[in-house]
Amino acid sequence: IYIYIGALLFGGPHLLSILFPALRDNFEKSLGEKPWKGLYAIVSLAGLVFLAIGYLQSRAGPATLDILYDAPYELRHLTMLLVLLGFIFIGASHGKGYMKKWLRNPMSIGVSLWAIGHLLVNGQRADVWLFGTFLVVGLADIV
């Protein structure tokens, strides 16, 4: 249950900001900029903690048998490539280079590639919730 709460707490504020910017701006105006950012950060961090706890719990006991799909072993090479590209794009989002100029959202593209790579080879329910949350947020920001 922790992974579901984490997905909601992490994905909710991010999707609210991405999909409903006017609503986000109204919340920010009513609370003030610093309290809004503080609340946003605390809720997002709590979501990450719940995601991590839920993911760790899925690695022991009966939850290890909760498999949604069995990924082909051959996709591991594609996963390594996507994760490598994802890390390159995430790194490019922190500097002043050509990739940041050419790509609108290198951080979101990198997170999405990272998540897709992991979803290709991890078919356990907890994996789908964890990496799926990041993929949905990343794709929503790209669009």
Side-chain angles (χ1 to χ4, degrees), residues 59 66-71 118-128 131:
R59 296 293 172 219
D66 196 6
I67 307 287
L68 298 178
Y69 58 91
D70 193 20
H118 282 84
L119 285 170
L120 286 175
V121 294
N122 296 303
Q124 193 175 354
R125 183 180 307 273
D127 296 318
V128 172
F131 300 116

Side-chain angles (χ1 to χ4, degrees), residues 26-142:
N26 287 338
F27 280 135
E28 186 177 340
K29 284 180 187 175
S30 66
L31 291 174
E33 182 183 358
K34 287 186 180 181
W36 165 251
K37 286 183 178 181
L39 179 64
Y40 190 94
I42 289 169
V43 171
S44 295
L45 183 61
L48 284 174
V49 169
F50 275 95
L51 280 169
I53 291 169
Y55 189 75
L56 288 173
Q57 285 180 345
S58 74
R59 296 293 172 219
T64 58
L65 302 175
D66 196 6
I67 307 287
L68 298 178
Y69 58 91
D70 193 20
Y73 184 71
E74 294 78 22
L75 288 178
R76 72 187 189 282
H77 299 296
L78 179 58
T79 292
M80 290 179 210
L81 175 64
L82 290 173
V83 170
L84 174 64
L85 290 172
F87 284 153
I88 290 170
F89 288 147
I90 290 169
S93 71
H94 291 20
K96 293 181 180 179
Y98 289 111
M99 288 179 79
K100 191 168 184 178
K101 285 182 186 177
W102 294 335
L103 301 172
R104 185 169 168 245
N105 295 328
M107 172 73 84
S108 297
I109 293 170
V111 168
S112 296
L113 289 174
W114 172 82
I116 290 168
H118 282 84
L119 285 170
L120 286 175
V121 294
N122 296 303
Q124 193 175 354
R125 183 180 307 273
D127 296 318
V128 172
W129 274 95
L130 176 71
F131 300 116
T133 299
F134 287 101
L135 180 60
V136 167
V137 170
L139 290 177
D141 191 44
I142 292 169

Side-chain angles (χ1 to χ4, degrees), residues 11-28:
H14 284 83
L15 290 175
L16 174 90
S17 294
I18 294 166
L19 299 175
F20 305 105
L23 185 60
R24 175 201 61 210
D25 293 343
N26 287 338
F27 280 135
E28 186 177 340

